[in-house]
Amino acid sequence: MLAFNGKCTHNSEGGFRTEEGPSAMGTTLLNFPQKAARLQMAEENLEIYEGSDPRRKQDGRVWLKKGEVTPAVCISDFRAPKVLYWIFFDGLGPVTQIPVPKGQTLTGQFYADVVLPEVEKHYLKRRPKTGTRGLKILHDNARPHKSLAVRQKIKDMDMHEVPHPPYSPDIAPCDFWLFRKLKDNLSGREFEDRLSLGRAIYRYLEVIPKDEYRKTFENWIKRLNSVVAYKADYFEHS
């Protein structure tokens, strides 16, 4: 399972924006250590995921049927007026969306005690014998994700965390794919309450063709290759 994290805002006027995205890259110059980390993590992830046979079990990976791809799960923050959602998807489609209670502080403890267990429930239902065992999770370097509570929960779920370099929304599927899809669908719309917003998100995630979820994983691999080709510099995407 690969997990990615970012923030989106949907305001009362129906506007929609990401808090970290390509525009942020235009004003951020990576220093040498940051570029070195970005290049190293891209190379390491390519070594693990690029060209692998999805039917073969390696390094604790899951068994997949012929034609399936390694699941790629996205974790994102979707923010509307006084409402926040964590949204998960994988290479087979949406996994779950989790509303954050009003006034709840986004801490590592909340992420470990409330958010990740919902992901675990999904996979225990879909894969009763293995659950989350051997799946990969990739999220950004936000403080809650790096807490001891989260690290322990990931270990307890028998998942493996994949590194993600800082200042790299261009290789985070929530930024380069999911947010754009949500923006196209939700911009200009107003919602009466949290429930109506949640339903709109759920319905839209369900109608996205399954093939697009799979292609997002493939595009992530392509973007990692671009990081290596451009020696960690930011680059234009088609």
Side-chain angles (χ1 to χ4, degrees):
M1 177 173 68
L2 298 176
F4 305 81
N5 175 270
K7 292 181 176 64
C8 295
T9 301
H10 187 280
N11 59 39
S12 58
E13 289 76 29
F16 187 100
R17 69 179 177 86
T18 61
E19 295 185 8
E20 181 183 26
S23 60
M25 296 188 298
T27 57
T28 302
L29 294 178
L30 298 179
N31 57 36
F32 181 78
Q34 290 168 342
K35 290 180 66 174
R38 178 174 155 94
L39 181 60
Q40 179 181 351
M41 291 181 186
E43 290 175 335
E44 290 177 352
N45 288 337
L46 283 170
E47 184 177 354
I48 296 172
Y49 295 104
E50 186 180 37
S52 61
D53 183 350
R55 293 168 294 175
R56 184 174 59 191
K57 188 176 182 182
Q58 298 177 354
D59 301 326
R61 297 179 194 175
V62 299
W63 289 105
L64 299 174
K65 298 179 182 179
K66 184 176 181 179
E68 290 184 342
V69 298
T70 303
V73 174
C74 174
I75 303 175
S76 70
D77 304 342
F78 180 77
R79 192 183 300 274
K82 301 180 180 180
V83 75
L84 177 71
Y85 287 90
W86 259 292
I87 303 171
F88 292 74
F89 72 82
D90 63 19
L92 301 177
V95 171
T96 186
Q97 63 183 58
I98 303 159
V100 178
K102 183 179 178 180
Q104 171 66 49
T105 302
L106 301 182
T107 64
Q109 200 65 55
F110 179 81
Y111 187 62
D113 293 345
V114 178
V115 177
L116 289 178
E118 290 299 315
V119 177
E120 189 172 28
K121 288 179 185 178
H122 170 86
Y123 283 101
L124 284 172
K125 181 178 180 180
R126 196 167 91 182
R127 296 149 36 99
K129 293 183 179 181
T130 58
T132 56
R133 188 175 67 204
L135 298 179
K136 309 295 191 295
I137 181 167
L138 193 160
H139 44 208
D140 66 16
N141 298 304
R143 185 173 299 176
H145 301 154
K146 299 303 178 183
S147 71
L148 291 177
V150 170
R151 291 181 182 275
Q152 184 59 50
K153 181 60 178 178
I154 290 175
K155 182 178 179 180
D156 292 344
M157 293 170 68
D158 201 9
M159 296 194 299
H160 306 280
E161 185 176 1
V162 178
H164 181 71
Y167 305 110
S168 298
D170 56 330
I171 54 175
C174 279
D175 285 285
F176 72 70
W177 181 70
L178 179 62
F179 291 165
R180 293 181 182 180
K181 301 288 290 186
L182 288 173
K183 180 177 181 179
D184 290 343
N185 182 259
L186 300 178
S187 287
R189 298 174 58 182
E190 298 183 15
F191 302 94
E192 296 181 355
D193 50 33
R194 295 165 60 98
L195 184 60
S196 61
L197 172 59
R199 287 173 175 170
I201 296 171
Y202 175 81
R203 286 195 297 266
Y204 185 67
L205 293 176
E206 287 290 331
V207 300
I208 296 175
K210 303 300 182 184
D211 190 55
E212 290 194 31
Y213 288 99
R214 177 183 59 80
K215 288 181 178 178
T216 299
F217 174 78
E218 297 173 356
N219 289 334
W220 177 67
I221 294 294
K222 292 178 181 179
R223 286 169 180 258
L224 291 177
N225 273 305
S226 294
V227 170
V228 175
Y230 284 87
K231 301 188 183 302
D233 285 332
Y234 293 132
F235 49 91
E236 295 293 331
H237 302 280
S238 57

